[in-house]
Amino acid sequence: MKEALKNWWLVLIKGIILVLLSFFVFRHPVSALIGLALYIGISLMVTGVLLIITSLSNRNREQWGWQLAEGIIDVLFALILLSNPAVTASVFPFVVGFWIMMYGVILFINSFNLKKDGEKSWWMNLITGILTVIIGYFITSNIVVGAFTITFWIGLGILLLGLFNISIAFRMKKLNAEMN
């Protein structure tokens, strides 16, 4: 514990970097989306290759073919994403908006199961599901607004995480001073 507190300044640096990164995301939302598209493409490529290797090394298992197919699909999808990150970034808001709408539909349907089970807060799922579908619709109906909405929330999340790290760093510094 004492050793971790001694390195409080590392947490401070991390917080400052995150705050600076959030300003970049707010100032350059298109570049942030392209970066996110590249990150997703690279991640899919790595997981796809790992799935292929895992499936081929487990050929004696009954379901190895499905894992191989998943790996191949991930690699093909990654190649598509990485071949033109700008196109990926422009389609990304539609994909996210559609995913949000589907999640909202699931929440909406689940609210009736909760009501049937006697859960008193079932209506919260109902309202959240409806609002989530509406938000997803707005993101998919206007891709430009959707892109800026996504990058705004990403930037805000990074900013809050940075401020949290800075706050923690100063608390760690104070505890370190009290322990010494």
Side-chain angles (χ1 to χ4, degrees), residues 96-109 132-133 136:
V96 169
F98 183 75
W99 174 75
I100 288 171
M101 283 193 296
M102 291 299 99
Y103 188 75
V105 168
I106 291 168
L107 284 172
F108 180 81
I109 292 169
T132 303
V133 168

Side-chain angles (χ1 to χ4, degrees), residues 86-155:
V87 171
T88 302
S90 66
V91 174
F92 190 67
F94 180 76
V95 172
V96 169
F98 183 75
W99 174 75
I100 288 171
M101 283 193 296
M102 291 299 99
Y103 188 75
V105 168
I106 291 168
L107 284 172
F108 180 81
I109 292 169
N110 191 40
S111 70
F112 295 108
N113 291 332
L114 291 173
K115 182 179 181 182
K116 191 170 93 177
D117 292 341
E119 180 67 42
K120 291 180 182 178
S121 62
W122 66 272
W123 58 273
M124 290 175 66
N125 266 40
L126 180 74
I127 292 171
T128 303
I130 292 169
L131 291 175
T132 303
V133 168
I134 292 169
I135 290 168
Y137 171 77
F138 282 125
I139 290 173
T140 58
S141 66
N142 189 337
I143 299 298
V144 174
V145 171
F148 286 112
T149 301
I150 291 168
T151 54
F152 170 78
W153 286 111
I154 290 170

